[in-house]
Amino acid sequence: MDKNQVLRNLPKMSVLLEHDGIKELEKTYPYGFIKAALNFGVNTIRDELLTSKTGLSEGRTDEEGLANRIITMANEFLADSFYNLRPVINATGIVIHTNLGRAPLPPEALRRIVQISGGYSNLEYDLNEGKRGERYTHIGDILRELTGAQDAIAVNNNAAAVLLSLTALARGREVIISRGEMVEIGGSFRIPEVLSQSGAKLVEVGTTNRTHLKDYENAINDDTALILKVHPSNYKIAGFTCEADDTELKELAEKHNLIFMKDLGSGAMVDLTPFGYPAEPTVTGTVKTGADIVTFSGDKLLGGPQAGIIVGDEKLITKIKSHPLTRALRIDKLTLAALETVLWYYKTNQWQDIPVNKMLIKPIEEMKNDAKILAEGLSAILLQKGEAQIVDDVSEAGGGSMPAHEMPSKAVSLCLKDYTPRQIFAKLRSGSPPIIGRIKKDNFLMDVRTLSKEEIGKIIETVGKMV
Ligand SMILES: *Cc1c(COP(=O)(O)O)cnc(C)c1O
């Protein structure tokens, strides 16, 4: 059909908005969003017409045919790429991937976020007394019970937890830390810089590989407020090393009336050694050794929302709660709802159902099976256009947890005719949804450790549409 005739057949917005197909969309999306998406559809078709010599490459070109096509496009646009922030498929095998949003939340936490944020709640309201309450009470009891600590508070993230603790407890005074722990923990969180922001004076002791108890002891003076120990969560110093352990440091701190604080970072609640992982200090174990203050992330090994949790001595936590900086770093209600829920998974011994844990302990048999489904599904749609093969792989916990430890996993390597691995990597990133894999030894790999059954199906469907 003549191009100009097709252009004249493009339905008007008023016609599109009256179309039956819109009713379905209105159940999910605000009216204005649907209009914006329809505009996108109309413009896309118009551009295709104007730039091609032969008119539209496929489909009907009468008004009804074009309307259907625009509505389908609007639907896909709203579902996949209307927003800037959108879901991706993590096929990297890295479970706690900071750039991909760290911990996916369990379904009950999502339901709670919807429930709490869709209306009003007792966030800061004491239902018994009928007056102002405190937002931190909602996680106080459960954290006390789970960790054995006297009290707890949660803030925006662990960087905030460390900054706040140091500010409230050591501002204007000295903090002793080993040179082996003067580290940067991704995303520009540097221990020395956080310390200087807190207004505490940094006193470095020991050397990069070896710090002894007496190094700490020699540095103590009347200005010392706190001994800080940072858990090496994203690096490992190996070989000729030595460090003072928590028990010794706690004793030393106690003797001199100092605070012993431990920044755990990853925040393991359970021991994963039965599943083949290296021993990580757990929060409970750290509290037990006597750390006065323990800080850790909500969205690393805990598997919850972004948060920084501080547990420890009641008097110190009270001091932190009343510091003005706490107000600036406070946790919001969505996070609080999700955090409380995730903590309940631990309390009821359902921790294996938290997605991060589920992926970390995914049995190799299950991964073999998943890799088979993915490889066979891809092979069936690729035919002569490429190849998909199951390969042995190793994956990491990631997100600054259990550094340098690689767990055996299974992956599917994907080759496409006329594409380099880099080009496949880029092509799949442009999918709807984007699929993030990785390149290893000149192979494009998708590791099934971090993929659900549903995502495996989506990958096959998405790749099918692209090749
Ligand atoms: C990850 C980490 C932090 C920063 O925590 P965020 O929750 O990302 O702010 C601080 N300290 C240690 C030891 C960490 O591993």
Side-chain angles (χ1 to χ4, degrees), residues 102 157-160 162 185 189 191 230-231 233 263-266 297-300 307 399-400:
R102 289 202 185 153
N157 58 9
N158 190 36
V162 175
I185 299 158
F189 177 89
I191 293 289
V230 180
H231 175 56
S233 66
D263 174 21
L264 265 186
S266 46
S297 288
D299 54 356
K300 289 184 183 170

Short mmCIF file of all heavy atoms in Angstrom, two decimals, residues 102 157-160 162 185 189 191 230-231 233 263-266 297-300 307 399-400, ligand 1:
data_model
loop_
_atom_site.label_atom_id
_atom_site.label_comp_id
_atom_site.label_asym_id
_atom_site.label_seq_id
_atom_site.Cartn_x
_atom_site.Cartn_y
_atom_site.Cartn_z
N ARG A 102 21.90 -5.94 44.49
CA ARG A 102 22.15 -6.86 45.61
C ARG A 102 21.05 -7.90 45.82
O ARG A 102 20.80 -8.69 44.95
CB ARG A 102 22.45 -6.08 46.89
CG ARG A 102 23.81 -5.41 46.83
CD ARG A 102 24.33 -5.11 48.22
NE ARG A 102 25.59 -4.37 48.15
CZ ARG A 102 26.01 -3.55 49.09
NH1 ARG A 102 25.30 -3.37 50.18
NH2 ARG A 102 27.16 -2.93 48.94
N ASN A 157 22.06 2.42 55.33
CA ASN A 157 22.90 1.32 54.84
C ASN A 157 24.06 1.14 55.82
O ASN A 157 24.16 1.87 56.81
CB ASN A 157 23.41 1.57 53.42
CG ASN A 157 24.19 2.86 53.28
OD1 ASN A 157 24.52 3.50 54.27
ND2 ASN A 157 24.50 3.23 52.07
N ASN A 158 24.93 0.19 55.54
CA ASN A 158 25.99 -0.07 56.51
C ASN A 158 27.03 1.05 56.55
O ASN A 158 27.63 1.31 57.59
CB ASN A 158 26.66 -1.42 56.22
CG ASN A 158 27.60 -1.83 57.34
OD1 ASN A 158 27.32 -1.57 58.51
ND2 ASN A 158 28.70 -2.44 56.99
N ALA A 159 27.23 1.73 55.43
CA ALA A 159 28.13 2.88 55.43
C ALA A 159 27.61 3.90 56.44
O ALA A 159 28.38 4.48 57.22
CB ALA A 159 28.22 3.49 54.04
N ALA A 160 26.30 4.11 56.43
CA ALA A 160 25.68 5.03 57.38
C ALA A 160 25.80 4.52 58.81
O ALA A 160 26.03 5.29 59.74
CB ALA A 160 24.20 5.24 57.02
N VAL A 162 28.19 2.70 60.08
CA VAL A 162 29.57 2.90 60.56
C VAL A 162 29.81 4.39 60.86
O VAL A 162 30.31 4.75 61.92
CB VAL A 162 30.59 2.39 59.51
CG1 VAL A 162 32.02 2.70 59.95
CG2 VAL A 162 30.42 0.89 59.30
N ILE A 185 35.87 -0.38 50.38
CA ILE A 185 34.93 -1.47 50.17
C ILE A 185 33.94 -1.08 49.08
O ILE A 185 32.83 -0.71 49.35
CB ILE A 185 34.21 -1.81 51.50
CG1 ILE A 185 35.26 -2.27 52.50
CG2 ILE A 185 33.18 -2.90 51.31
CD1 ILE A 185 34.86 -2.16 53.92
N PHE A 189 33.41 3.58 49.52
CA PHE A 189 33.36 3.53 50.99
C PHE A 189 34.76 3.19 51.47
O PHE A 189 35.21 2.06 51.38
CB PHE A 189 32.36 2.48 51.46
CG PHE A 189 32.30 2.32 52.96
CD1 PHE A 189 31.44 3.08 53.73
CD2 PHE A 189 33.13 1.41 53.62
CE1 PHE A 189 31.39 2.94 55.11
CE2 PHE A 189 33.08 1.26 55.00
CZ PHE A 189 32.21 2.03 55.74
N ILE A 191 37.39 3.24 54.61
CA ILE A 191 37.44 3.34 56.06
C ILE A 191 38.10 4.64 56.54
O ILE A 191 37.51 5.35 57.36
CB ILE A 191 38.11 2.08 56.67
CG1 ILE A 191 37.22 0.85 56.41
CG2 ILE A 191 38.41 2.25 58.14
CD1 ILE A 191 35.93 0.81 57.21
N VAL A 230 37.59 -4.09 61.35
CA VAL A 230 36.79 -4.20 60.14
C VAL A 230 36.96 -5.59 59.56
O VAL A 230 38.08 -6.05 59.33
CB VAL A 230 37.23 -3.14 59.10
CG1 VAL A 230 36.40 -3.26 57.82
CG2 VAL A 230 37.12 -1.74 59.67
N HIS A 231 35.85 -6.26 59.34
CA HIS A 231 35.92 -7.61 58.78
C HIS A 231 36.33 -7.51 57.31
O HIS A 231 35.72 -6.77 56.55
CB HIS A 231 34.55 -8.28 58.90
CG HIS A 231 34.50 -9.61 58.25
ND1 HIS A 231 35.37 -10.63 58.58
CD2 HIS A 231 33.70 -10.12 57.28
CE1 HIS A 231 35.10 -11.69 57.84
NE2 HIS A 231 34.09 -11.40 57.05
N SER A 233 35.80 -8.07 54.18
CA SER A 233 34.71 -8.72 53.47
C SER A 233 34.94 -8.81 51.97
O SER A 233 34.40 -9.68 51.32
CB SER A 233 33.40 -8.02 53.77
OG SER A 233 33.44 -6.74 53.24
N ASP A 263 32.94 -3.77 62.49
CA ASP A 263 32.16 -3.61 61.26
C ASP A 263 32.23 -4.93 60.50
O ASP A 263 33.25 -5.27 59.92
CB ASP A 263 32.74 -2.47 60.42
CG ASP A 263 32.05 -2.36 59.06
OD1 ASP A 263 30.92 -2.86 58.94
OD2 ASP A 263 32.64 -1.77 58.13
N LEU A 264 31.13 -5.65 60.54
CA LEU A 264 31.10 -6.99 59.93
C LEU A 264 30.86 -6.95 58.42
O LEU A 264 31.20 -7.86 57.70
CB LEU A 264 29.97 -7.83 60.55
CG LEU A 264 30.32 -8.76 61.69
CD1 LEU A 264 29.09 -9.60 62.03
CD2 LEU A 264 31.47 -9.68 61.32
N GLY A 265 30.23 -5.89 57.96
CA GLY A 265 29.95 -5.78 56.52
C GLY A 265 28.91 -6.77 56.05
O GLY A 265 27.72 -6.47 56.04
N SER A 266 29.36 -7.97 55.70
CA SER A 266 28.45 -8.92 55.05
C SER A 266 27.31 -9.40 55.95
O SER A 266 26.23 -9.70 55.46
CB SER A 266 29.25 -10.12 54.55
OG SER A 266 30.14 -10.56 55.54
N SER A 297 25.40 -5.00 56.89
CA SER A 297 24.45 -4.61 55.83
C SER A 297 23.18 -5.44 55.88
O SER A 297 23.21 -6.62 56.24
CB SER A 297 25.08 -4.84 54.45
OG SER A 297 26.08 -3.91 54.20
N GLY A 298 22.09 -4.84 55.45
CA GLY A 298 20.83 -5.58 55.35
C GLY A 298 20.73 -6.36 54.05
O GLY A 298 20.01 -7.35 53.96
N ASP A 299 21.47 -5.93 53.03
CA ASP A 299 21.28 -6.53 51.70
C ASP A 299 22.48 -7.31 51.20
O ASP A 299 22.67 -7.49 50.00
CB ASP A 299 20.86 -5.47 50.68
CG ASP A 299 21.82 -4.28 50.62
OD1 ASP A 299 22.77 -4.23 51.43
OD2 ASP A 299 21.61 -3.41 49.76
N LYS A 300 23.32 -7.78 52.12
CA LYS A 300 24.37 -8.71 51.71
C LYS A 300 23.92 -10.11 52.12
O LYS A 300 22.87 -10.56 51.67
CB LYS A 300 25.71 -8.29 52.31
CG LYS A 300 26.26 -7.02 51.66
CD LYS A 300 27.64 -6.67 52.19
CE LYS A 300 28.15 -5.37 51.58
NZ LYS A 300 29.38 -4.92 52.28
N ALA A 307 20.02 -1.67 54.02
CA ALA A 307 19.92 -1.14 55.37
C ALA A 307 21.26 -1.34 56.06
O ALA A 307 22.08 -2.13 55.60
CB ALA A 307 18.83 -1.85 56.17
N GLY A 399 29.34 -8.96 46.32
CA GLY A 399 28.93 -7.91 47.25
C GLY A 399 29.80 -7.82 48.49
O GLY A 399 29.34 -7.48 49.57
N GLY A 400 31.07 -8.13 48.35
CA GLY A 400 31.94 -8.07 49.50
C GLY A 400 31.59 -9.13 50.53
O GLY A 400 31.51 -8.86 51.72
C1 LIG B 1 29.75 -3.59 52.33
C2 LIG B 1 30.48 -3.08 53.49
C3 LIG B 1 30.26 -1.79 53.97
C4 LIG B 1 29.27 -0.87 53.31
O1 LIG B 1 27.97 -1.37 53.50
P1 LIG B 1 26.75 -0.80 52.61
O2 LIG B 1 25.56 -1.52 53.15
O3 LIG B 1 27.06 -1.14 51.20
O4 LIG B 1 26.69 0.66 52.85
C5 LIG B 1 30.97 -1.37 55.07
N1 LIG B 1 31.87 -2.18 55.68
C6 LIG B 1 32.12 -3.43 55.24
C7 LIG B 1 33.14 -4.28 55.95
C8 LIG B 1 31.43 -3.94 54.14
O5 LIG B 1 31.66 -5.16 53.69
#
